């Protein structure tokens, strides 16, 4: 009994790969998603934002147009490397969380009506 | 054969109640949900909005505080009648879709920086 060698049977080995969530980027297939907080004034007047990239570098993203809730900027080729083609990568989708002021004085409100009264509908 | 009366057996009758979607209100249990579009200037400077109610009436909702993306106003007792208590009703949750201007002149941008520069972070 003590000399018996245990028999080995051929069987499938299943690897379960759990993907760890990245602290900065979300993932949607080959695309990466990034949410940036910006103050309302930058959303309205344009901004130049440092955008972290997957490799650790940063790029400057210059936006001149108005950033409204739901606005999305797509940076092509800065997503995940795709499995199909070696040199091909998905995109990086940048979304925005617009921070509003918590209060405005009567004077600030009056000025806001002056500049926004006819432009937002 | 022609005179045989068909036999009737006792059986469960199942009523499937499909709820028709209301054109104005969404529903979350006993609560009703309503989304109102407002221009950015009203979100920043306060507004008095006509709110449709389930019975067909309207009420005036006065909001003095700043309406930021994600802001929700709860009007108690204007939801669905609850099934448990005859006189009890759920709440009406009012949400807001803030319409931003599509463009601002350089002068409007400069004024926006003047009033929002220190107030939004």
């Amino acid at each position: 009994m003590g000399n018996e060698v245990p028999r080995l049977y051929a069987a499938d080995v299943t690897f379960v790969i759990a993907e760890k969530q990245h602290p900065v980027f979300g993932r949607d297939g080959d695309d990466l998603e990034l949410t940036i907080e910006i103050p309302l004034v930058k959303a309205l007047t344009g901004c130049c934002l440092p955008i972290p990239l997957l490799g650790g570098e940063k790029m400057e993203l210059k936006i001149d147009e108005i950033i409204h809730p739901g606005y999305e900027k797509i940076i092509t080729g800065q997503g995940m490397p795709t499995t199909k083609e070696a040199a091909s990568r998905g995109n990086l989708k940048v979304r925005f969380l617009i921070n509003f002021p918590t209060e405005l004085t009567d004077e600030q409100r009056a000025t806001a009506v002056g500049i926004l009264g006819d432009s937002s509908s």
Side-chain angles (χ1 to χ4, degrees), chain A residues 63-82:
Chain A
I63 300 179
D64 266 333
E65 55 199 345
I66 288 173
I67 298 170
H68 55 80
Y71 180 96
E72 193 177 83
K73 194 82 186 177
I74 292 174
I75 304 173
T76 50
Q78 287 295 344
M80 290 291 282
T82 65

Side-chain angles (χ1 to χ4, degrees), chain A residues 11 54 62 94 103 118:
Chain A
L54 192 59
K62 188 166 160 47
V94 185
E103 57 183 38
D118 294 329

Side-chain angles (χ1 to χ4, degrees), chain A residues 14-74:
Chain A
T14 308
F15 291 95
V16 178
I17 297 174
E19 198 177 71
K20 193 175 168 187
Q21 194 167 357
H22 194 281
V24 175
F25 300 103
R27 191 173 169 184
D28 177 20
D30 291 328
D31 292 336
L32 290 177
E33 296 171 332
L34 178 69
T35 300
I36 303 268
E37 279 192 47
I38 53 164
L40 177 61
V41 66
K42 285 197 177 179
L44 289 174
T45 60
C47 49
C48 195
L49 302 163
I51 301 291
L53 299 178
L54 192 59
E57 318 92 86
K58 286 190 180 234
M59 67 169 277
E60 288 291 313
L61 178 63
K62 188 166 160 47
I63 300 179
D64 266 333
E65 55 199 345
I66 288 173
I67 298 170
H68 55 80
Y71 180 96
E72 193 177 83
K73 194 82 186 177
I74 292 174

Side-chain angles (χ1 to χ4, degrees), chain A residues 81-95:
Chain A
T82 65
T83 44
K84 291 167 198 153
E85 294 168 55
S88 164
R89 290 180 61 179
N91 300 325
L92 172 61
K93 293 180 189 169
V94 185
R95 290 172 185 153

Side-chain angles (χ1 to χ4, degrees), chain A residues 4-19:
Chain A
E4 265 180 29
V5 178
R7 285 186 186 172
L8 294 174
Y9 296 96
D12 292 334
V13 176
T14 308
F15 291 95
V16 178
I17 297 174
E19 198 177 71

